[in-house]
Amino acid sequence: MKRSATKSWSNLPPDIVNLIAENLYYYADYADQVRFRTICKSWQSTCVPLKEINLQPWLFSCHSRSHLFDTTRKLKYTIKTDPRVLDSKIEASKDGWVLFSKANINPSPFLFISYNSSPSSLFFYNPFTASIIELPPLHMFSSDKATFSTAPTSSFCTVFVLSVYYSTRRICISTCKPGERTWTRHFFDGFYGDLHGLTYLRGVLYCSFCNNVLGAFRVSTNSWKIYPHNRIRPTSVYLYYGLIESEHEGSLLSVYYDSHRLQWLVFRFDLLKENWVEVNSLDDRTLFLNPSSTAMKLAVDDASELANTIHVECSSSFYKKPEDERLQCPQSFDWILEENPETIVWIQPPLKRGDTSIQISNCRDELLNDCE
């Protein structure tokens, strides 16, 4: 038998080299793309151009069963989750983690809202790794809203729960870091109506209220400040979709939908002038909206058709009506059939394949049967 000739890795066919490079774009980070090209000159000359990773968010559903939807490749994963996830309330999503609350609510006929006689349990859940991080119990109202600053695995993570006390006309902001045993409560005088939304941006928790008020809680000083909200008041005509952290310019956005004219309105908060300015264009970016999570991404490469569009769960529309009224907004997510919007949330996929290997490998067989 003839001994097979040893071939150099530098002689890999260009199509295979490009295939590896493309997978590094989707499953690794920018640094790994650079390292791959430094292995040999032939790979460097053959590879597709370097790309900054800009994965569009996935959807996580936890109704009767739990599913992950890869919105880029149109894949559906059925995953095994902790039973608590299926009967808990989604509060917020960020950096691949979802914050849940599970309450034992006893309605009172003497209150506008319900109060929990027993403390609510709050916990983080990562559907990509099945990891759970517990938080201390906390008494909550049914109208309370919660969010967090960054991934709970970071030492900089802070969880926020905002409560409105209607009888005493005060608000309370409860804060806690993962690993702490108790919550710190901050009370501030003032009544601004129902709480509509929360978001964290650069050390400040922003809170929007129905009385056209924007509250700002600065974490470093535990101080509270009130700003005027924009001139639009949420009504049956103007539907409010919450506050959004705009990553590309570090600004705060507020989103409405005019159900009469069937168009979107987006406002940006000018921190220097302390007023709201209407945004005329999304600058080729895409808004992903949900009561519990929002995201704003630059539409690039294969997602270029999503530029200047807004997506509420699985429904898509243009931000501004195109000049050619015959153009229809591509319905890129209509293949996702989820009936209950309260149990579905946008979630940022991990930047590295290794972060999902445990969970994805466990559900691979189910994926082949459930993929739609």
Side-chain angles (χ1 to χ4, degrees), residues 56-67:
Q56 66 187 32
W58 290 20
L59 277 166
F60 172 55
S61 170
C62 52
H63 186 39
S64 56
R65 300 179 70 185
S66 292
H67 303 287

Side-chain angles (χ1 to χ4, degrees), residues 116-280:
N116 302 344
S117 58
S118 300
S120 300
S121 60
L122 292 99
F123 60 93
F124 286 101
Y125 175 70
N126 186 325
F128 298 99
T129 62
S131 303
I132 288 183
I133 296 178
E134 302 283 356
L135 293 169
L138 177 70
H139 282 283
M140 297 175 63
F141 293 102
S142 59
S143 61
D144 289 358
K145 294 185 182 297
T147 190
F148 57 103
S149 59
T150 188
T153 51
S154 168
S155 59
F156 298 102
C157 178
T158 301
V159 184
F160 307 91
V161 178
L162 194 144
S163 308
V164 177
Y165 286 78
Y166 292 81
S167 58
T168 59
R169 304 181 71 83
R170 293 193 303 171
I171 67 165
C172 175
I173 299 177
S174 303
T175 62
C176 181
K177 290 180 174 292
E180 293 181 344
R181 296 184 177 183
T182 59
W183 291 80
T184 302
R185 309 181 77 188
H186 310 271
F187 288 91
F188 303 97
D189 294 328
F191 179 75
Y192 318 106
D194 293 338
L195 175 64
H196 276 158
L198 298 175
T199 194
Y200 177 86
L201 177 64
R202 294 185 174 181
V204 179
L205 175 71
Y206 291 98
C207 321
S208 61
F209 298 89
C210 70
N211 290 351
N212 276 11
V213 168
L214 176 71
F217 174 72
R218 186 168 295 278
V219 178
S220 60
T221 58
N222 295 329
S223 58
W224 175 255
K225 186 175 182 179
I226 295 298
Y227 299 97
H229 213 320
N230 51 52
R231 59 184 180 274
I232 292 182
R233 184 183 183 93
T235 63
S236 57
V237 176
Y238 295 108
L239 305 179
Y240 183 59
Y241 276 87
L243 297 172
I244 297 177
E245 173 189 347
S246 177
E247 297 176 352
H248 75 285
E249 58 182 11
S251 61
L252 187 67
L253 302 179
S254 186
V255 183
Y256 295 83
Y257 183 71
D258 186 338
S259 59
H260 179 67
R261 296 182 177 86
L262 303 180
Q263 67 180 24
W264 290 94
L265 298 170
V266 177
F267 296 87
R268 178 178 59 83
F269 186 60
D270 190 323
L271 290 171
L272 296 178
K273 298 180 180 179
E274 298 186 359
N275 63 359
W276 293 86
V277 180
E278 186 172 357
V279 175
N280 295 320

